[in-house]
Amino acid sequence: MLYLFTMHGIWSIILAAGESRRMGFPKMLLPFGDTTIIETIIHNVSQSVANDIMVVLGAEKEAIAVKVKKTNTRYCFNETYKDGMLSSVKCGFNNIPFDFSAALIFPGDQPMITTMTINKVVNAFLFSGKGLIIPVHKNKHGHPLLIDRKYKNEIENISPSIGLQALADRFSNDVFEVKTDDPGILKDIDTYEEYLQWN
């Protein structure tokens, strides 16, 4: 059974700072459904129990911020976004309230992750007693990864060359895997061909 009320201590950090090099233009702004990719992700998250949201901006920040503002969602700017995704994760953690209990990490190019999946991940955190919750589809790890507040300092010290996988490797006894039927947890949009496939 899922908790269907808002979990104010659990934040969602949406990473929308990338340069979209493989796409060739800002993929966050591509039409998706009735809106854009970034607005679709924000909508899906806002319908979940983890609807306190921080969007991390970087490349094309002004244009993407226009879309984010339309949703009344908070955002921050990662000045070191060219250093890679981990720098945006750190930026997100540093800009949510200090007394948060956990954070869900969403790549900004995965608009197919469903609200039901997000709720399942949060539910697993509340019931499992584990601090690292990873959704799984067909034995493959996906997003969003949920990270307990206790790992905030660990994240600050992770090498960019390793990324968040270092947490699951180092603290494997604190990992809980959530099986889902949601292929969207595995699918990101890196190229225009992938975009056409999913839109």
Side-chain angles (χ1 to χ4, degrees), residues 60-119:
E60 305 293 337
K61 64 177 180 178
E62 293 87 0
I64 299 174
V66 170
K67 300 298 185 182
V68 175
K69 288 177 183 177
K70 286 173 57 179
T71 67
N72 295 314
T73 301
R74 300 185 193 185
Y75 61 91
C76 59
F77 175 58
N78 174 19
E79 295 182 354
T80 61
Y81 68 89
K82 291 187 177 182
D83 291 343
M85 189 178 76
L86 185 61
S87 68
S88 290
V89 173
K90 294 177 181 180
C91 181
F93 272 98
N94 288 332
N95 280 278
I96 60 177
F98 72 93
D99 58 349
F100 76 99
S101 59
L104 291 145
I105 307 300
F106 293 84
D109 59 358
Q110 289 191 246
M112 295 76 68
I113 297 172
T114 67
T115 297
M116 182 178 293
T117 293
I118 300 166
N119 287 342

Side-chain angles (χ1 to χ4, degrees), residues 4 21 30 32 38 40 65 80-81 100 108 112 116 127 169 174 176 191 199:
L4 298 180
R21 291 179 180 176
L30 285 170
F32 196 89
I38 186 61
T40 300
T80 61
Y81 68 89
F100 76 99
M112 295 76 68
M116 182 178 293
F127 280 101
D169 293 342
D174 200 26
F176 186 86
T191 66
N199 191 37

Side-chain angles (χ1 to χ4, degrees), residues 13-18 27-29 36-42 55-56 85 105-113 188-189:
I13 298 174
I14 300 175
L15 310 177
K27 56 186 172 182
M28 298 296 107
L29 302 176
T36 61
I37 287 178
I38 186 61
E39 289 171 282
T40 300
I41 296 172
I42 291 172
V55 179
V56 182
M85 189 178 76
I105 307 300
F106 293 84
D109 59 358
Q110 289 191 246
M112 295 76 68
I113 297 172
D188 55 4
I189 298 174

